[in-house]
Amino acid sequence: PSFCKVGMGFNDKIDWDAKGFVAVYDSVHLLANLTFADIYVDEAHHPLPSGLPEGTDLYRFSATHRVDVDFQYTMGQAVEDGVLCDYDVIIPIVTPGLTQACLAEMVRKQAGHFRRVLAYCNSIVEAKR
């Protein structure tokens, strides 16, 4: 199916005829005039965004629910089932102000160890550097 992204950098390109939409919290209100059969909300332990479109069914996903859950599927089970690939979690200790240099040095020293690298940043400004 063809999905349309809705969020920063994509809001001026919304394909209203798309089969589905993937929206970020701050932009989902742009879809408020649509009605959906199913709505899937990630990080649903946070309050739902204002302007959330209407849907027949609402599915909430979270790793930190504060209420009883309907379904549990662990990351370990997902790896065993082949849904996720096995992975290493590496938490580097970085020097304040030298984040990129520290991360780059870690990746360089471990060349060949990483197939893919995912780095989480504290802000958009930090990620762009």
Side-chain angles (χ1 to χ4, degrees), residues 22-25 28 39-49 52 58-65 120:
V22 177
V24 297
Y25 185 93
V28 72
I39 296 177
Y40 301 88
V41 178
D42 193 19
E43 297 296 323
H45 55 277
H46 295 290
L48 293 174
L52 184 70
L58 176 67
Y59 300 93
R60 297 174 183 221
F61 296 90
S62 175
T64 55
H65 273 291
Y120 289 94

Side-chain angles (χ1 to χ4, degrees), residues 2-86:
S2 174
F3 286 87
C4 177
K5 297 176 188 173
V6 180
M8 186 183 299
F10 298 97
N11 290 341
D12 58 347
K13 306 172 203 155
I14 297 175
D15 176 6
W16 298 105
D17 295 321
K19 299 287 185 190
F21 298 87
V22 177
V24 297
Y25 185 93
D26 290 339
S27 295
V28 72
H29 68 277
L30 297 172
L31 303 174
N33 61 332
L34 301 177
T35 301
F36 294 90
D38 300 312
I39 296 177
Y40 301 88
V41 178
D42 193 19
E43 297 296 323
H45 55 277
H46 295 290
L48 293 174
S50 60
L52 184 70
E54 290 188 28
T56 305
D57 290 306
L58 176 67
Y59 300 93
R60 297 174 183 221
F61 296 90
S62 175
T64 55
H65 273 291
R66 295 184 180 99
V67 296
D68 290 336
V69 298
D70 295 323
F71 180 77
Q72 289 186 355
Y73 190 61
T74 66
M75 292 179 76
Q77 185 64 49
V79 169
E80 190 175 308
D81 293 345
V83 174
L84 294 176
C85 66
D86 202 2

Side-chain angles (χ1 to χ4, degrees), residues 80-94:
E80 190 175 308
D81 293 345
V83 174
L84 294 176
C85 66
D86 202 2
Y87 58 92
D88 294 326
V89 174
I90 298 173
I91 303 172
I93 306 300
V94 298

